[in-house]
Amino acid sequence: MNIKWKATALRMGELYVEKSSLTYQKDVGDHLWIPMWATALSGGGYNILIDTGIHELQWVEEHIGLCRQQSDETIIEALRTGVGWSPGDVDIVINTHLHYDHCGNNRLFKNARFYVQRKEWEAAHNPIPCQEPIYLKKLFNSEAVNYFNWKFVDGEDEIVPGVKVFLTPGHSEGHQSVLVNTEEGILCVSGDVSNLLENINENLPAGILTSTKEMYSSMEEVRKRAQYILPGHEYSINKFQCSHFPSIVKRVNVQ
């Protein structure tokens, strides 16, 4: 059965960041507003949500930096406006990783199964020092999600027909990306293995890393597997966009 999914980009607000935190050692001192994307997958027999945004605007501003969020960019309103769902309609949540801006609203999805890499779960509970501030345990521990609703993935797995996750470490130790079979071709919902289209197309790692070497390998895996990409913080994507996502530039190895 060749199931085709529809992917809808849900904007969860915007962060004001120094660009070099997204593009390794490039554009130091430049600042810009970047969106935080969640993605709803529909049309394949399940309602699937990839990442869940931030939990509280005030917390982000007090602990991370400037942040803004329009009324239709909270997870509840974005789901209602973008795909006509309530949190109770979501069957599956896939977290690309467990940084605060990707799992902030997990607690709202009481009927869902949650998929994360086992390596990410372990790293989130014992993060390296530079990543401690961006893991907030109350967003993914038993306060938020019943432990038995978690499904831990080891590497690659087909979640349902036409939706597959695979390990893409580098930004975090257990980061995963999602391949989605759509009418237009294979879309990678990349999370932060590619914060921006610039990362994947210029072979430029992010600035927030656990391993630069792994990031290069992960970006190459994305290029091999997908035709299109929805990067975790790409500003050229439109709110509620559901087609014509950016193409991935294939690299040619020069000897």
Side-chain angles (χ1 to χ4, degrees), residues 30-70:
D30 291 349
H31 289 77
L32 74 166
W33 286 99
I34 57 166
M36 298 170 283
W37 292 112
T39 307
L41 304 182
S42 57
Y46 298 88
N47 293 338
I48 300 176
L49 182 62
I50 304 172
D51 291 333
T52 64
I54 58 171
H55 70 296
E56 185 180 285
L57 187 64
Q58 183 178 348
W59 182 92
V60 177
E61 292 192 317
E62 289 177 355
H63 293 87
I64 305 298
L66 290 176
C67 186
R68 62 190 183 191
Q69 190 175 53
Q70 297 179 20

Side-chain angles (χ1 to χ4, degrees), residues 5 38 50 73 98 116 118 137 155 183 193 209 213 229:
W5 292 83
I50 304 172
E73 294 175 356
L98 295 175
V116 74
R118 189 182 307 275
K137 291 184 176 64
E183 291 287 350
V193 69
L209 296 163
K213 183 178 180 179
I229 191 166

Side-chain angles (χ1 to χ4, degrees), residues 158-173:
E158 185 175 61
I159 305 304
V160 295
V163 179
K164 179 184 290 186
V165 298
F166 65 109
L167 187 63
T168 50
H171 175 72
S172 71
E173 293 184 54

Side-chain angles (χ1 to χ4, degrees), residues 4-5 181-187 227-228 242-245:
K4 306 290 187 182
W5 292 83
N181 192 28
T182 74
E183 291 287 350
E184 296 174 344
I186 302 300
L187 171 71
Q227 300 163 276
Y228 304 97
C242 58
S243 63
H244 298 96
F245 291 105

Side-chain angles (χ1 to χ4, degrees), residues 74-208:
T74 65
I75 191 66
I76 291 175
E77 285 304 309
L79 283 171
R80 184 185 66 80
T81 304
V83 289
W85 301 348
S86 70
D89 295 325
V90 175
D91 303 305
I92 293 170
V93 172
I94 300 171
N95 289 129
T96 59
H97 57 305
L98 295 175
H99 290 168
Y100 73 95
D101 54 330
H102 293 263
C103 68
N105 291 297
N106 280 13
R107 70 191 187 283
L108 299 178
F109 300 97
K110 303 301 184 185
N111 298 329
R113 301 192 307 276
F114 290 79
Y115 288 83
V116 74
Q117 290 285 330
R118 189 182 307 275
K119 285 181 65 175
E120 180 68 7
W121 179 261
E122 293 169 352
H125 286 85
N126 188 29
I128 61 175
C130 67
Q131 295 223 347
E132 284 183 8
I134 50 181
Y135 283 113
L136 186 59
K137 291 184 176 64
K138 73 175 186 178
L139 300 180
F140 50 81
N141 66 13
S142 58
E143 292 181 48
V145 178
N146 185 318
Y147 178 81
F148 296 102
N149 288 344
W150 284 104
K151 306 293 182 183
F152 300 115
V153 181
D154 294 302
E156 185 171 324
D157 193 19
E158 185 175 61
I159 305 304
V160 295
V163 179
K164 179 184 290 186
V165 298
F166 65 109
L167 187 63
T168 50
H171 175 72
S172 71
E173 293 184 54
H175 190 285
Q176 65 182 356
S177 299
V178 187
L179 297 174
V180 184
N181 192 28
T182 74
E183 291 287 350
E184 296 174 344
I186 302 300
L187 171 71
C188 181
V189 181
S190 69
D192 289 349
V193 69
S194 184
N195 291 305
L196 305 176
L197 185 62
E198 184 176 350
N199 296 116
I200 196 77
N201 284 347
E202 297 185 16
N203 202 34
L204 182 64
I208 298 173

